[in-house]
Amino acid sequence: MLCRQQVAELSEYEKQFAGKGGRIAVIGPGEAAHLPEFRMVTGYRSDLFADPGREAYRVLGFSSGIARLIGIKPLQVAISAFKSGIRPGKLQGNALQLGGAVVIAPGDELRYLFREKHAGDHPPVAELLGAISDGGQTG
Amino acid sequence: MEGFNVSIEQLAPLNVYDQQGAETPLSDLWADQPAALVFIRHFG
């Protein structure tokens, strides 16, 4: 799955976040009970949290609409997705939820914001590391 | 780069949960050093 792959890749860079004086945390929509297995399959060892109500996703403006996920008109998408077997709730969390990333420094300083535009659109690790190390610069 | 039209004041107090079910306010993550928070689509 894409998300496992994304986090497995992140796990290769975990030490670099600490090396630049920062930290990394991965947050997922779903229940905390799923976290141990997710760690096991990804090899990710840093901070990992669940946001079951997806409140942070809403505040950050990370889309949860199927239209944004696939990129065509909502009704067409809903029909074709339903025909192809996509049902909200089948996956842990919400299959229609997109993610993203922020880098925030002490004092609530938002240095970086990345909103995924479609499934598979992930924040580049180099940009995250760049925002950690050189305050204010964005990739 | 999109504009930063985000309210950190709204984000800061929101709680997330670790694997023991303990809650942590998001603001704890960037209290002492810069933090990258990566929000994934699902735990699939």
Side-chain angles (χ1 to χ4, degrees), chain A residues 20-121:
Chain A
K20 290 176 183 295
R23 69 195 291 186
I24 179 158
V26 169
I27 297 153
E31 300 301 325
H34 295 274
L35 299 179
E37 189 202 345
F38 191 75
R39 268 192 202 285
M40 205 168 62
V41 298
T42 57
Y44 174 82
R45 304 162 73 107
S46 301
D47 288 322
L48 180 64
F49 298 99
D51 177 13
R54 291 185 284 131
E55 292 175 75
Y57 288 73
R58 270 193 291 278
V59 168
L60 290 169
F62 297 157
S63 304
S64 61
I66 192 166
R68 286 295 297 274
L69 188 66
I70 300 179
I72 43 176
K73 289 178 183 169
L75 187 59
Q76 289 176 310
V77 171
I79 292 168
S80 68
F82 196 80
K83 280 182 180 166
S84 65
I86 297 176
R87 304 284 191 279
K90 261 190 172 178
L91 286 167
Q92 180 48 230
N94 181 336
L96 311 181
Q97 178 69 57
L98 290 174
V102 288
V103 175
I104 305 175
D108 291 353
E109 179 202 345
L110 179 61
R111 290 185 177 177
Y112 178 81
L113 171 67
F114 182 97
R115 291 187 177 118
E116 295 179 358
K117 292 182 176 61
H118 53 81
D121 180 25

Side-chain angles (χ1 to χ4, degrees), chain A residues 3-4 6 21-29 32 35 38-39 49-50 55-57 60 62 92 95 97 99-106 108 110 113 115-116 119 132, chain B residues 1-12 14-22 24 26-44:
Chain A
C3 293
R4 290 184 180 183
Q6 177 192 4
R23 69 195 291 186
I24 179 158
V26 169
I27 297 153
L35 299 179
F38 191 75
R39 268 192 202 285
F49 298 99
E55 292 175 75
Y57 288 73
L60 290 169
F62 297 157
Q92 180 48 230
Q97 178 69 57
V102 288
V103 175
I104 305 175
D108 291 353
L110 179 61
L113 171 67
R115 291 187 177 118
E116 295 179 358
I132 288 282
Chain B
M1 202 65 214
E2 298 182 51
F4 286 170
N5 52 338
V6 159
S7 165
I8 301 305
E9 290 74 22
Q10 281 181 44
L11 186 70
L14 298 179
N15 286 317
V16 289
Y17 299 85
D18 69 16
Q19 65 188 61
Q20 279 80 39
T24 300
L26 280 172
S27 55
D28 277 12
L29 299 176
W30 64 79
D32 300 321
Q33 75 280 83
L37 313 185
V38 177
F39 292 81
I40 61 174
R41 288 184 51 223
H42 54 76
F43 286 126

Side-chain angles (χ1 to χ4, degrees), chain A residues 6-23:
Chain A
Q6 177 192 4
V7 176
E9 284 175 14
L10 272 179
S11 71
E12 297 172 20
Y13 296 91
E14 288 178 67
K15 285 184 181 146
Q16 293 192 36
F17 285 89
K20 290 176 183 295
R23 69 195 291 186

